[in-house]
Amino acid sequence: MGRLIAILAPILILLFLGVGGVIAVNAMKPEPEKNEEPPAGLNVFAEPVRSGSLTLSVATQGEVRPKHEIVVAPQISGRVTYVAPDFIDGGFVKRGQVLVRVEAADYELGIVRARSAVASAEQRLARELAEAELARRDLEDLGLTDVSPLARREPQLAEAQASLEAARAQLRETELALARTAVVAPFDGRVRERNVDIGQIATPGQSLGRIFGTDVVEVVLPLKDEELGRLNLPLAFSASPANPGPRVVFTANVGGLPRTWVGEVMRTGAAVNSQTRQINVIAELKDPFGAGADDGAPMAPGLFVNARIEGETLENVLIAPRAALRGDDRLFIGLPDQGKLSIRNIAVVFSDRDGVYLRAGAEPGELAITSPIRAPFDGMNITVLERMPDGTVRVHGNKTAAEAAEAIAGASLPSNEEGSAQ
């Protein structure tokens, strides 16, 4: 027992001295000074919210087509004896201009025969009138009153009258056929194609070519229901002088140059497309080869164009940078005097590449943050930096020159420069 105590005693004494020494050293060590300064905030870029006007618009595309287009076809048969020089692919034609003429000799002979038949029918009617008058007198001389219509020659007279009417109708029909030997243009237009030449035998209804009107062209523009609502267009819209349609700006490259034409929405389609769930809006451009052309460049049928339909103009809306929109309805506002982040719920009217347009949720002059922020929360510490028009960067808040330079160097780039906003 004595031997065990002799071994443990030195160990316990050394342990006591070591623990006591550590406690004594810690007790004599001075306490570190506490830093009362708040933690530095995240450096972010921001742009001011401004007030302005907004013209609601919808962008879509479509193919130009003529409003009026017909197949040129004869109503009678015969050999083609004339084709107008303008009746070629791309040619301009005028209303009433003869495009194709069919040989008329047979129809001219038919008119001669028809006129002869009319003369014979007139002579027969005159003879029947005379004989009917003689029969009436004979019956009066005989004192006969109760006689048959045949004795008074009434059926013979009616037959002669009918024969004359039939002969005259035949003459009119032959004259009409003769007039139809000339195929004329029903409107001013251009020739899309020609399928006939001199010497060819034409038959009724045969396609000799196609022409389309140059007075108006139209473009079918498919729109979604939300886009119709943005333009305030009902499903059964039809433009009128009292209720004109929205303005449409068409653009396309023609001849290697950008071209612009201005038209108008005239009506909406009759039904919703069952496959795309969209409805067609028909826009028109008047005189596309004349006054409606862009410096001589027409909006020709077959051209694929971009279209921007302009709706109503909203005044006094708030405009924030597009990069400041977070999700569908949130905006990050920097409070530079407080160095805090304010997360706002906003009512977005419309958004595009140029900005976010809203009715409420911010005030003109407030700074909308465009830099990405990870794990944001309301009241977060931030340092707001604003890029000025002259290219310099303004650091908001009470910062020294050194702190401002450090903030600029460590600032997060705006989301439109670095990526999508967080």
Side-chain angles (χ1 to χ4, degrees):
M1 184 69 180
R3 185 179 180 181
L4 178 62
I5 294 173
I7 295 173
L8 293 177
I11 296 175
L12 293 174
I13 293 171
L14 292 175
L15 180 63
F16 175 78
L17 292 174
V19 172
V22 170
I23 295 174
V25 170
N26 289 334
M28 291 184 293
K29 184 174 67 174
E31 293 185 5
E33 296 181 2
K34 295 183 179 180
N35 187 4
E36 302 296 336
E37 296 182 2
L42 177 66
N43 302 321
V44 293
F45 279 96
E47 296 180 20
V49 177
R50 54 192 174 88
S51 178
S53 61
L54 166 65
T55 299
L56 296 175
S57 62
V58 171
T60 181
Q61 299 172 319
E63 183 179 352
V64 182
R65 69 184 187 186
K67 186 176 183 179
H68 307 291
E69 184 172 10
I70 64 167
V71 174
V72 178
Q75 293 179 272
I76 49 89
S77 60
R79 184 173 63 89
V80 176
T81 59
Y82 171 80
V83 177
D86 295 331
F87 190 46
I88 55 175
D89 189 3
F92 286 88
V93 296
K94 296 292 185 180
R95 179 179 181 180
Q97 179 181 352
V98 176
L99 305 178
V100 176
R101 195 180 295 278
V102 176
E103 189 175 30
D106 293 339
Y107 300 99
E108 291 172 348
L109 293 175
I111 287 180
V112 173
R113 290 191 295 268
R115 287 175 178 171
S116 175
V118 169
S120 297
E122 290 175 342
Q123 188 273 335
R124 180 184 175 189
L125 178 60
R127 185 174 64 249
E128 286 297 335
L129 287 172
E131 291 182 358
E133 180 64 21
L134 290 175
R136 183 185 64 79
R137 290 179 182 179
D138 290 342
L139 293 174
E140 288 180 354
D141 292 342
L142 295 173
L144 300 175
T145 57
D146 187 15
V147 295
S148 66
L150 187 62
R152 294 194 295 268
R153 302 193 63 83
E154 292 178 0
Q156 294 88 333
L157 183 61
E159 181 183 8
Q161 184 68 41
S163 297
L164 177 59
E165 294 297 329
R168 288 175 175 170
Q170 183 64 37
L171 176 59
R172 288 195 295 270
E173 182 180 356
T174 308
E175 291 173 341
L176 186 59
L178 179 62
R180 287 173 175 170
T181 58
V183 181
V184 300
F187 46 71
D188 294 346
R190 293 197 72 179
V191 181
R192 185 186 287 272
E193 62 181 29
R194 191 188 82 176
N195 306 320
V196 67
D197 214 333
I198 296 176
Q200 181 177 334
I201 301 300
T203 57
Q206 176 185 347
S207 175
L208 306 181
R210 299 178 69 90
I211 63 173
F212 61 85
T214 55
D215 56 339
V216 179
V217 291
E218 60 184 22
V219 184
V220 177
L221 304 171
L223 297 182
K224 301 176 183 177
D225 182 72
E226 180 270 333
E227 294 172 332
L228 281 177
R230 190 188 309 166
L231 297 173
N232 197 26
L233 276 178
L235 288 178
F237 175 77
S238 180
S240 64
N243 184 28
R247 183 173 177 262
V248 184
V249 178
F250 302 103
T251 56
N253 288 333
V254 178
L257 297 175
R259 302 291 184 177
T260 302
W261 306 273
V262 179
E264 179 185 357
V265 171
M266 298 306 296
R267 62 189 185 279
T268 56
V272 177
N273 188 304
S274 60
Q275 296 179 343
T276 64
R277 311 312 305 170
Q278 294 180 324
I279 188 166
N280 291 332
V281 170
I282 295 88
E284 293 184 357
L285 173 67
K286 300 185 185 301
D287 197 11
F289 292 87
D294 179 12
D295 194 21
M299 195 171 83
L303 190 65
F304 195 78
V305 295
N306 297 313
R308 181 169 57 85
I309 308 175
E310 299 179 353
E312 64 176 320
T313 299
L314 304 178
E315 302 293 343
N316 299 322
V317 295
L318 299 171
I319 307 173
R322 179 65 179 83
L325 180 63
R326 317 293 166 133
D328 294 330
D329 60 354
R330 288 196 308 163
L331 201 67
F332 289 178
I333 298 294
L335 305 176
D337 294 338
Q338 305 174 24
K340 301 292 184 180
L341 168 68
S342 175
I343 299 178
R344 309 279 182 85
N345 290 322
I346 58 174
V348 178
V349 177
F350 180 66
S351 65
D352 58 16
R353 289 185 175 182
D354 298 328
V356 180
Y357 304 86
L358 51 143
R359 286 291 193 187
E363 295 294 334
E366 287 191 313
L367 295 173
I369 297 172
T370 57
S371 296
I373 300 177
R374 296 186 179 278
F377 58 90
D378 198 52
M380 179 179 183
N381 291 331
I382 59 173
T383 299
V384 180
L385 288 76
E386 179 184 359
R387 196 180 302 278
M388 308 305 291
D390 59 0
T392 60
V393 176
R394 177 187 176 187
V395 180
H396 290 268
N398 298 322
K399 300 287 184 180
T400 65
E403 291 173 336
E406 182 181 354
I408 294 173
S412 299
L413 292 174
S415 59
N416 58 355
E417 298 180 19
E418 183 178 88
S420 60
Q422 298 292 327

